[in-house]
Amino acid sequence: MTDSLGTRAARSQDRSEMRASRPRSQPGLSWLFIMAWRDMRRAKRHLALFALAVVSGIAALVAISSFRANLESEMDRQSRGLLGADVAYDDREPFDARALALFNLMGAEETARQVKFRTMAYFPTKSNTRIVRAQAMEGGFPWYGSLDTRPAGLRVADSEEPIALIEDSLMLQFDLKVGDPIKIGELTFTIAGELLKMPGEGAFTGSFAPRVLIPLKFLSATGLDRFGSRLRYFHYQKFSDTTGGQGVEVVERYRDDLEAMGIDVDTVEDQRRQIGRTLDSTNGFLSMIGFVALLLGGVSIAGAVQVYLKSKTASVATLRCLGASARQSIAIYCIQISIVGLLGCLTGALLGVAIQTSLPELMKPFLPLELPVRISWPSIFGSLLFGWLFTSLFALLPLLPLRRISPLRAIRASVESAVEAWRDRAFLFTLGGLLLMGCLFTITQTQNLLQAASFLGGIAVAIVLLALVGWLLRFVLRRLSLDRFPYVWKQALANLYRPENRTTMQVVTLGMGAFLVFSIYVSEQSLLRQGDLAGRDGQPNVILFDIQPDQLEGVLNTIEELDLNTIKPEAIVTMRLQSLNGLSPTQLIEDPEREVERWATRREYRSTYRDFVREDEELIAGEFTPSASLDDEGPIPVSVEQRIVDALDLKLGDRIVWDVQGLPIETEVTSIRKVDWRQMKPNFFVVFPAGVLEAAPAFFVTAAHAPNRESLVGLQTEVVKRYPNVAAVNLTMILESLEEIFDRIGFVIRFMASFTILTGLVALMASVNASRYQRSRESSLLRTLGASAKQIRGIMGVEYALVGIIAGLAGVALSVVAGWALTRFVFRVDLYLPWQGTIVTVLIVASLTLLTGLLNSLGIARRSPLESIRSES
């Protein structure tokens, strides 16, 4: 029997030697996929959270990129409908003979005229008034696009009767119907129908002043075309299909001559470029929000994969000891992460398509064209591919150190080796690839290198600062004596700096979400705050302008008869910048030594004169000169508002020549004022001293306070009846329209920004789930030492609440800085910090963090010590 056992042993040894002597075949690709699938089945919950981390970012990118592609294709298709003509000319003065001669050289097939102006409309049947934007039309304009009316097909341009088309919102506001009268100036028109849509104009175009279309031949009868009314004259041309391109070439040939005469020239391409530039800025901003969500998702994936691999140390060690190479070990987990990341990207793409179908309806009030919902497959695939590669590179970062780990080291040590990682060329190459992809994406979305650099720099600084907050929190707690704290608090605070903690990553992801959302909220509230004082504490809530000198006393008497408070009227004199220190506006823009803003060099200034500084104005530099004369030697001293000082890069002593309606007047900046623009009063960029502009053509403006709606309507009605050219604007209504616009814009932006909060919460879930084993082990030890389930839940609750509060406070603090920069340098308004909203934001972030952490840790506290020990073994 002994011989038999020995024989069998010898035969077995021979077979083993024969197998060992055969050449070993390396595992193939199928084996790698099988191993990856087998390992994935036991970690489905962990990997599902990894996939969710990219869903939000991909959804935002797909929705915005598809929406942008859809918009661009429709703008190309409806490009002529954006303008309604092949070319449009406009000027503030009637076109003279030279301009008309140049128009005739263009060879247009058809022409049309239009005069636009703002005025007060009076509705006799309702005894009510409203400021409107009147458009006196003549000719076949618009030739392209659609002039949508109810009933359909109505036109006023060639009518022999005084009829009007008024915007549907105005019909609804005053409960008007077809056949009702509307008085414009001194003439009463009959409402013929409703205006629903004009080419190239969004629904919100008429929010402040609804549109009213009338025949141009009746403009003189209204009395509103006399001196003092601010009219804008338009001339439209349509070329034949055969000579259209040649006609546009002729327009371009004479563009410089026309613009030198002060005439603006707009072709179809100009209109498309102008609208596209505005919409591109909005789309680019929303895309950046989606990119931040994707970036946070990538960061959370990198952290979660790192923790996930720590639990796989034994598996890696076993594979290495069985002969698998380091490359094969990495390949197994690369396959896992790539497949899971692709599934997450596909899910995000489906969600993004669903969101994209609702964006046209959300953006409809701001769009100048009809936008049908169409799916842009190239945009979807491009965003999907970018997101998959971007997040896969993030996941690759913690995988690369596995390449340099020997089987012995894999058994004895963790897979993480930060020193080796930073010395690894592949690691640095991957990190460089991430930075390059981020830069290229940002540049393509913003179309501006400076904006891209500012955005990436701001995001990088925010992430670094939030990471620093997380590091400081752990640093302070590690050196803090916790003995004096209650047991639950002591354990919770210790958990924030324990080994395998995810405190820094959680602070970064949650803080970035709070940072983005609250930055937008602060900017929105700061803009709305500018008019928040209207109608409060006796502040003016109605402003009256276009008052002619011979009407001023009568208007003031009307206000007095109604027993309303008014402010001192101020004269308005229009002028333009002719030169600054000897440089023309064009030279100022091109001057490399002076940073000026283009709008400030080309705008029409409405200035005033007086011998005092108002109480709501602050003199911050120089001395105000109360009076002067054109006969005085030297330039006239003027006071300039701080915003124009910044826009034109002015300083005390600068010489400015103003073109005051054909008369050049040389001035010197002798004082700088700061105006409180929240005051609903006539405010001015430039104030001349008394005694200089009194003889110049001017009109007056004043403001009053009506204590209730009845008084306000009565004032508007009486003024319009007696002085049809005077506009009495309800500031409260304007502020309500502004608030509506900001609410719609804010909703869209906050909706997209909320994806970062969702990403932060998913990252928190992934972090908690990945460290569930660690927490289960700690819980079993605490339960063994006598801790109750209630205490363990309290420990986790305190820990998550503290992380949420710290992340919320850090994110809100950064958003205040970002909000200040946006309001100061972009919107040019004062920062307003809503303290109530600030506190609510921090509490929301803390509550969501607490709820997410506790829900994802269910069952840990309820496990008995024996159960924990058995499951661990």
mmCIF file with all atom_site columns, all heavy atoms in Angstrom, residues 18 103 105 129 192 241 263 285 303 313 437 471 495 502 511 524 603 798:
data_model
loop_
_atom_site.group_PDB
_atom_site.id
_atom_site.type_symbol
_atom_site.label_atom_id
_atom_site.label_alt_id
_atom_site.label_comp_id
_atom_site.label_asym_id
_atom_site.label_entity_id
_atom_site.label_seq_id
_atom_site.pdbx_PDB_ins_code
_atom_site.Cartn_x
_atom_site.Cartn_y
_atom_site.Cartn_z
_atom_site.occupancy
_atom_site.B_iso_or_equiv
_atom_site.pdbx_formal_charge
_atom_site.auth_seq_id
_atom_site.auth_comp_id
_atom_site.auth_asym_id
_atom_site.auth_atom_id
_atom_site.pdbx_PDB_model_num
ATOM 1   N N   . MET A 1 18  ? 5.587   17.827  -16.040 1.00 0.00 ? 18  MET A N   1
ATOM 2   C CA  . MET A 1 18  ? 5.267   17.947  -17.461 1.00 0.00 ? 18  MET A CA  1
ATOM 3   C C   . MET A 1 18  ? 4.455   19.207  -17.720 1.00 0.00 ? 18  MET A C   1
ATOM 4   O O   . MET A 1 18  ? 4.703   19.922  -18.690 1.00 0.00 ? 18  MET A O   1
ATOM 5   C CB  . MET A 1 18  ? 4.492   16.703  -17.937 1.00 0.00 ? 18  MET A CB  1
ATOM 6   C CG  . MET A 1 18  ? 5.348   15.409  -17.979 1.00 0.00 ? 18  MET A CG  1
ATOM 7   S SD  . MET A 1 18  ? 4.360   13.973  -18.406 1.00 0.00 ? 18  MET A SD  1
ATOM 8   C CE  . MET A 1 18  ? 3.807   14.434  -20.038 1.00 0.00 ? 18  MET A CE  1
ATOM 9   N N   . PHE A 1 103 ? -29.025 104.940 -50.925 1.00 0.00 ? 103 PHE A N   1
ATOM 10  C CA  . PHE A 1 103 ? -29.971 103.820 -50.895 1.00 0.00 ? 103 PHE A CA  1
ATOM 11  C C   . PHE A 1 103 ? -30.376 103.420 -52.309 1.00 0.00 ? 103 PHE A C   1
ATOM 12  O O   . PHE A 1 103 ? -30.510 102.229 -52.622 1.00 0.00 ? 103 PHE A O   1
ATOM 13  C CB  . PHE A 1 103 ? -31.222 104.184 -50.092 1.00 0.00 ? 103 PHE A CB  1
ATOM 14  C CG  . PHE A 1 103 ? -30.968 104.436 -48.628 1.00 0.00 ? 103 PHE A CG  1
ATOM 15  C CD1 . PHE A 1 103 ? -31.887 105.146 -47.865 1.00 0.00 ? 103 PHE A CD1 1
ATOM 16  C CD2 . PHE A 1 103 ? -29.811 103.967 -48.013 1.00 0.00 ? 103 PHE A CD2 1
ATOM 17  C CE1 . PHE A 1 103 ? -31.670 105.371 -46.524 1.00 0.00 ? 103 PHE A CE1 1
ATOM 18  C CE2 . PHE A 1 103 ? -29.582 104.201 -46.666 1.00 0.00 ? 103 PHE A CE2 1
ATOM 19  C CZ  . PHE A 1 103 ? -30.503 104.896 -45.915 1.00 0.00 ? 103 PHE A CZ  1
ATOM 20  N N   . LEU A 1 105 ? -28.660 103.534 -54.927 1.00 0.00 ? 105 LEU A N   1
ATOM 21  C CA  . LEU A 1 105 ? -27.577 102.853 -55.638 1.00 0.00 ? 105 LEU A CA  1
ATOM 22  C C   . LEU A 1 105 ? -27.556 101.348 -55.371 1.00 0.00 ? 105 LEU A C   1
ATOM 23  O O   . LEU A 1 105 ? -26.903 100.601 -56.094 1.00 0.00 ? 105 LEU A O   1
ATOM 24  C CB  . LEU A 1 105 ? -26.224 103.451 -55.226 1.00 0.00 ? 105 LEU A CB  1
ATOM 25  C CG  . LEU A 1 105 ? -25.952 104.898 -55.638 1.00 0.00 ? 105 LEU A CG  1
ATOM 26  C CD1 . LEU A 1 105 ? -24.616 105.360 -55.073 1.00 0.00 ? 105 LEU A CD1 1
ATOM 27  C CD2 . LEU A 1 105 ? -25.954 105.021 -57.159 1.00 0.00 ? 105 LEU A CD2 1
ATOM 28  N N   . THR A 1 129 ? -53.881 104.236 -19.145 1.00 0.00 ? 129 THR A N   1
ATOM 29  C CA  . THR A 1 129 ? -52.767 104.531 -20.038 1.00 0.00 ? 129 THR A CA  1
ATOM 30  C C   . THR A 1 129 ? -51.667 103.493 -19.843 1.00 0.00 ? 129 THR A C   1
ATOM 31  O O   . THR A 1 129 ? -51.612 102.794 -18.838 1.00 0.00 ? 129 THR A O   1
ATOM 32  C CB  . THR A 1 129 ? -52.184 105.928 -19.748 1.00 0.00 ? 129 THR A CB  1
ATOM 33  O OG1 . THR A 1 129 ? -51.688 105.951 -18.404 1.00 0.00 ? 129 THR A OG1 1
ATOM 34  C CG2 . THR A 1 129 ? -53.220 107.008 -19.933 1.00 0.00 ? 129 THR A CG2 1
ATOM 35  N N   . ALA A 1 192 ? -57.566 97.034  -34.724 1.00 0.00 ? 192 ALA A N   1
ATOM 36  C CA  . ALA A 1 192 ? -57.981 96.118  -35.778 1.00 0.00 ? 192 ALA A CA  1
ATOM 37  C C   . ALA A 1 192 ? -57.675 94.667  -35.442 1.00 0.00 ? 192 ALA A C   1
ATOM 38  O O   . ALA A 1 192 ? -58.232 93.752  -36.055 1.00 0.00 ? 192 ALA A O   1
ATOM 39  C CB  . ALA A 1 192 ? -57.288 96.489  -37.095 1.00 0.00 ? 192 ALA A CB  1
ATOM 40  N N   . ASP A 1 241 ? -34.231 87.700  -56.136 1.00 0.00 ? 241 ASP A N   1
ATOM 41  C CA  . ASP A 1 241 ? -33.502 86.444  -55.939 1.00 0.00 ? 241 ASP A CA  1
ATOM 42  C C   . ASP A 1 241 ? -32.267 86.355  -56.823 1.00 0.00 ? 241 ASP A C   1
ATOM 43  O O   . ASP A 1 241 ? -31.281 85.719  -56.456 1.00 0.00 ? 241 ASP A O   1
ATOM 44  C CB  . ASP A 1 241 ? -34.428 85.258  -56.236 1.00 0.00 ? 241 ASP A CB  1
ATOM 45  C CG  . ASP A 1 241 ? -35.572 85.179  -55.235 1.00 0.00 ? 241 ASP A CG  1
ATOM 46  O OD1 . ASP A 1 241 ? -35.416 85.711  -54.124 1.00 0.00 ? 241 ASP A OD1 1
ATOM 47  O OD2 . ASP A 1 241 ? -36.615 84.591  -55.585 1.00 0.00 ? 241 ASP A OD2 1
ATOM 48  N N   . ILE A 1 263 ? -25.454 106.502 -39.765 1.00 0.00 ? 263 ILE A N   1
ATOM 49  C CA  . ILE A 1 263 ? -26.496 105.531 -40.121 1.00 0.00 ? 263 ILE A CA  1
ATOM 50  C C   . ILE A 1 263 ? -25.996 104.129 -39.811 1.00 0.00 ? 263 ILE A C   1
ATOM 51  O O   . ILE A 1 263 ? -24.909 103.737 -40.254 1.00 0.00 ? 263 ILE A O   1
ATOM 52  C CB  . ILE A 1 263 ? -26.875 105.652 -41.612 1.00 0.00 ? 263 ILE A CB  1
ATOM 53  C CG1 . ILE A 1 263 ? -27.408 107.053 -41.908 1.00 0.00 ? 263 ILE A CG1 1
ATOM 54  C CG2 . ILE A 1 263 ? -27.888 104.588 -42.012 1.00 0.00 ? 263 ILE A CG2 1
ATOM 55  C CD1 . ILE A 1 263 ? -27.662 107.304 -43.374 1.00 0.00 ? 263 ILE A CD1 1
ATOM 56  N N   . PHE A 1 285 ? -22.219 79.794  -21.077 1.00 0.00 ? 285 PHE A N   1
ATOM 57  C CA  . PHE A 1 285 ? -22.273 79.817  -19.620 1.00 0.00 ? 285 PHE A CA  1
ATOM 58  C C   . PHE A 1 285 ? -22.939 78.558  -19.074 1.00 0.00 ? 285 PHE A C   1
ATOM 59  O O   . PHE A 1 285 ? -22.460 77.943  -18.120 1.00 0.00 ? 285 PHE A O   1
ATOM 60  C CB  . PHE A 1 285 ? -23.027 81.060  -19.157 1.00 0.00 ? 285 PHE A CB  1
ATOM 61  C CG  . PHE A 1 285 ? -23.221 81.147  -17.670 1.00 0.00 ? 285 PHE A CG  1
ATOM 62  C CD1 . PHE A 1 285 ? -22.153 81.415  -16.838 1.00 0.00 ? 285 PHE A CD1 1
ATOM 63  C CD2 . PHE A 1 285 ? -24.472 80.952  -17.111 1.00 0.00 ? 285 PHE A CD2 1
ATOM 64  C CE1 . PHE A 1 285 ? -22.326 81.485  -15.470 1.00 0.00 ? 285 PHE A CE1 1
ATOM 65  C CE2 . PHE A 1 285 ? -24.657 81.027  -15.745 1.00 0.00 ? 285 PHE A CE2 1
ATOM 66  C CZ  . PHE A 1 285 ? -23.578 81.294  -14.918 1.00 0.00 ? 285 PHE A CZ  1
ATOM 67  N N   . GLY A 1 303 ? -11.772 59.678  -6.470  1.00 0.00 ? 303 GLY A N   1
ATOM 68  C CA  . GLY A 1 303 ? -11.707 59.366  -5.045  1.00 0.00 ? 303 GLY A CA  1
ATOM 69  C C   . GLY A 1 303 ? -12.380 58.049  -4.714  1.00 0.00 ? 303 GLY A C   1
ATOM 70  O O   . GLY A 1 303 ? -11.865 57.249  -3.912  1.00 0.00 ? 303 GLY A O   1
ATOM 71  N N   . THR A 1 313 ? -7.268  45.051  -2.605  1.00 0.00 ? 313 THR A N   1
ATOM 72  C CA  . THR A 1 313 ? -5.855  44.752  -2.471  1.00 0.00 ? 313 THR A CA  1
ATOM 73  C C   . THR A 1 313 ? -5.603  43.250  -2.467  1.00 0.00 ? 313 THR A C   1
ATOM 74  O O   . THR A 1 313 ? -4.688  42.744  -3.135  1.00 0.00 ? 313 THR A O   1
ATOM 75  C CB  . THR A 1 313 ? -5.313  45.378  -1.176  1.00 0.00 ? 313 THR A CB  1
ATOM 76  O OG1 . THR A 1 313 ? -5.557  46.775  -1.193  1.00 0.00 ? 313 THR A OG1 1
ATOM 77  C CG2 . THR A 1 313 ? -3.826  45.117  -1.034  1.00 0.00 ? 313 THR A CG2 1
ATOM 78  N N   . MET A 1 437 ? -7.898  68.618  -22.165 1.00 0.00 ? 437 MET A N   1
ATOM 79  C CA  . MET A 1 437 ? -9.297  68.462  -22.552 1.00 0.00 ? 437 MET A CA  1
ATOM 80  C C   . MET A 1 437 ? -10.152 69.563  -21.933 1.00 0.00 ? 437 MET A C   1
ATOM 81  O O   . MET A 1 437 ? -11.045 70.119  -22.587 1.00 0.00 ? 437 MET A O   1
ATOM 82  C CB  . MET A 1 437 ? -9.811  67.088  -22.119 1.00 0.00 ? 437 MET A CB  1
ATOM 83  C CG  . MET A 1 437 ? -9.256  65.928  -22.914 1.00 0.00 ? 437 MET A CG  1
ATOM 84  S SD  . MET A 1 437 ? -9.989  64.342  -22.415 1.00 0.00 ? 437 MET A SD  1
ATOM 85  C CE  . MET A 1 437 ? -11.663 64.547  -23.020 1.00 0.00 ? 437 MET A CE  1
ATOM 86  N N   . TRP A 1 471 ? -8.716  70.303  4.251   1.00 0.00 ? 471 TRP A N   1
ATOM 87  C CA  . TRP A 1 471 ? -7.448  69.950  4.894   1.00 0.00 ? 471 TRP A CA  1
ATOM 88  C C   . TRP A 1 471 ? -7.283  70.657  6.228   1.00 0.00 ? 471 TRP A C   1
ATOM 89  O O   . TRP A 1 471 ? -6.843  70.039  7.218   1.00 0.00 ? 471 TRP A O   1
ATOM 90  C CB  . TRP A 1 471 ? -6.297  70.305  3.967   1.00 0.00 ? 471 TRP A CB  1
ATOM 91  C CG  . TRP A 1 471 ? -4.947  69.969  4.553   1.00 0.00 ? 471 TRP A CG  1
ATOM 92  C CD1 . TRP A 1 471 ? -4.302  68.764  4.515   1.00 0.00 ? 471 TRP A CD1 1
ATOM 93  C CD2 . TRP A 1 471 ? -4.089  70.862  5.288   1.00 0.00 ? 471 TRP A CD2 1
ATOM 94  N NE1 . TRP A 1 471 ? -3.112  68.836  5.174   1.00 0.00 ? 471 TRP A NE1 1
ATOM 95  C CE2 . TRP A 1 471 ? -2.935  70.119  5.661   1.00 0.00 ? 471 TRP A CE2 1
ATOM 96  C CE3 . TRP A 1 471 ? -4.179  72.201  5.655   1.00 0.00 ? 471 TRP A CE3 1
ATOM 97  C CZ2 . TRP A 1 471 ? -1.895  70.684  6.380   1.00 0.00 ? 471 TRP A CZ2 1
ATOM 98  C CZ3 . TRP A 1 471 ? -3.145  72.763  6.377   1.00 0.00 ? 471 TRP A CZ3 1
ATOM 99  C CH2 . TRP A 1 471 ? -2.010  72.023  6.735   1.00 0.00 ? 471 TRP A CH2 1
ATOM 100 N N   . ASN A 1 495 ? -13.909 60.995  13.479  1.00 0.00 ? 495 ASN A N   1
ATOM 101 C CA  . ASN A 1 495 ? -14.146 60.359  12.179  1.00 0.00 ? 495 ASN A CA  1
ATOM 102 C C   . ASN A 1 495 ? -13.759 61.254  11.013  1.00 0.00 ? 495 ASN A C   1
ATOM 103 O O   . ASN A 1 495 ? -13.455 60.757  9.921   1.00 0.00 ? 495 ASN A O   1
ATOM 104 C CB  . ASN A 1 495 ? -15.621 59.974  12.047  1.00 0.00 ? 495 ASN A CB  1
ATOM 105 C CG  . ASN A 1 495 ? -15.953 58.710  12.812  1.00 0.00 ? 495 ASN A CG  1
ATOM 106 O OD1 . ASN A 1 495 ? -15.071 57.967  13.223  1.00 0.00 ? 495 ASN A OD1 1
ATOM 107 N ND2 . ASN A 1 495 ? -17.233 58.468  13.028  1.00 0.00 ? 495 ASN A ND2 1
ATOM 108 N N   . ARG A 1 502 ? -13.057 60.755  3.926   1.00 0.00 ? 502 ARG A N   1
ATOM 109 C CA  . ARG A 1 502 ? -13.316 61.412  2.632   1.00 0.00 ? 502 ARG A CA  1
ATOM 110 C C   . ARG A 1 502 ? -13.735 62.859  2.850   1.00 0.00 ? 502 ARG A C   1
ATOM 111 O O   . ARG A 1 502 ? -14.462 63.446  2.051   1.00 0.00 ? 502 ARG A O   1
ATOM 112 C CB  . ARG A 1 502 ? -14.430 60.666  1.880   1.00 0.00 ? 502 ARG A CB  1
ATOM 113 C CG  . ARG A 1 502 ? -14.297 59.170  1.808   1.00 0.00 ? 502 ARG A CG  1
ATOM 114 C CD  . ARG A 1 502 ? -13.007 58.730  1.158   1.00 0.00 ? 502 ARG A CD  1
ATOM 115 N NE  . ARG A 1 502 ? -12.884 59.204  -0.186  1.00 0.00 ? 502 ARG A NE  1
ATOM 116 C CZ  . ARG A 1 502 ? -11.723 59.302  -0.827  1.00 0.00 ? 502 ARG A CZ  1
ATOM 117 N NH1 . ARG A 1 502 ? -10.596 58.984  -0.217  1.00 0.00 ? 502 ARG A NH1 1
ATOM 118 N NH2 . ARG A 1 502 ? -11.686 59.734  -2.058  1.00 0.00 ? 502 ARG A NH2 1
ATOM 119 N N   . GLY A 1 511 ? -19.265 71.808  -1.659  1.00 0.00 ? 511 GLY A N   1
ATOM 120 C CA  . GLY A 1 511 ? -18.977 73.247  -1.662  1.00 0.00 ? 511 GLY A CA  1
ATOM 121 C C   . GLY A 1 511 ? -19.054 73.851  -3.045  1.00 0.00 ? 511 GLY A C   1
ATOM 122 O O   . GLY A 1 511 ? -19.527 74.978  -3.217  1.00 0.00 ? 511 GLY A O   1
ATOM 123 N N   . GLU A 1 524 ? -28.258 87.667  -9.170  1.00 0.00 ? 524 GLU A N   1
ATOM 124 C CA  . GLU A 1 524 ? -29.652 87.961  -9.521  1.00 0.00 ? 524 GLU A CA  1
ATOM 125 C C   . GLU A 1 524 ? -30.279 88.922  -8.519  1.00 0.00 ? 524 GLU A C   1
ATOM 126 O O   . GLU A 1 524 ? -30.923 89.914  -8.889  1.00 0.00 ? 524 GLU A O   1
ATOM 127 C CB  . GLU A 1 524 ? -30.442 86.660  -9.581  1.00 0.00 ? 524 GLU A CB  1
ATOM 128 C CG  . GLU A 1 524 ? -31.920 86.837  -9.860  1.00 0.00 ? 524 GLU A CG  1
ATOM 129 C CD  . GLU A 1 524 ? -32.684 85.541  -9.736  1.00 0.00 ? 524 GLU A CD  1
ATOM 130 O OE1 . GLU A 1 524 ? -32.054 84.478  -9.664  1.00 0.00 ? 524 GLU A OE1 1
ATOM 131 O OE2 . GLU A 1 524 ? -33.921 85.589  -9.708  1.00 0.00 ? 524 GLU A OE2 1
ATOM 132 N N   . ARG A 1 603 ? -22.008 105.990 -27.451 1.00 0.00 ? 603 ARG A N   1
ATOM 133 C CA  . ARG A 1 603 ? -23.389 106.178 -27.011 1.00 0.00 ? 603 ARG A CA  1
ATOM 134 C C   . ARG A 1 603 ? -23.794 107.648 -27.089 1.00 0.00 ? 603 ARG A C   1
ATOM 135 O O   . ARG A 1 603 ? -22.952 108.554 -27.161 1.00 0.00 ? 603 ARG A O   1
ATOM 136 C CB  . ARG A 1 603 ? -23.568 105.664 -25.581 1.00 0.00 ? 603 ARG A CB  1
ATOM 137 C CG  . ARG A 1 603 ? -23.004 106.596 -24.532 1.00 0.00 ? 603 ARG A CG  1
ATOM 138 C CD  . ARG A 1 603 ? -23.093 106.005 -23.137 1.00 0.00 ? 603 ARG A CD  1
ATOM 139 N NE  . ARG A 1 603 ? -24.413 105.592 -22.770 1.00 0.00 ? 603 ARG A NE  1
ATOM 140 C CZ  . ARG A 1 603 ? -25.337 106.381 -22.244 1.00 0.00 ? 603 ARG A CZ  1
ATOM 141 N NH1 . ARG A 1 603 ? -25.066 107.656 -22.028 1.00 0.00 ? 603 ARG A NH1 1
ATOM 142 N NH2 . ARG A 1 603 ? -26.527 105.926 -21.941 1.00 0.00 ? 603 ARG A NH2 1
ATOM 143 N N   . VAL A 1 798 ? -23.936 63.600  13.372  1.00 0.00 ? 798 VAL A N   1
ATOM 144 C CA  . VAL A 1 798 ? -23.092 64.771  13.658  1.00 0.00 ? 798 VAL A CA  1
ATOM 145 C C   . VAL A 1 798 ? -22.017 64.928  12.598  1.00 0.00 ? 798 VAL A C   1
ATOM 146 O O   . VAL A 1 798 ? -21.723 66.038  12.124  1.00 0.00 ? 798 VAL A O   1
ATOM 147 C CB  . VAL A 1 798 ? -22.463 64.637  15.067  1.00 0.00 ? 798 VAL A CB  1
ATOM 148 C CG1 . VAL A 1 798 ? -21.414 65.725  15.289  1.00 0.00 ? 798 VAL A CG1 1
ATOM 149 C CG2 . VAL A 1 798 ? -23.541 64.717  16.135  1.00 0.00 ? 798 VAL A CG2 1
#
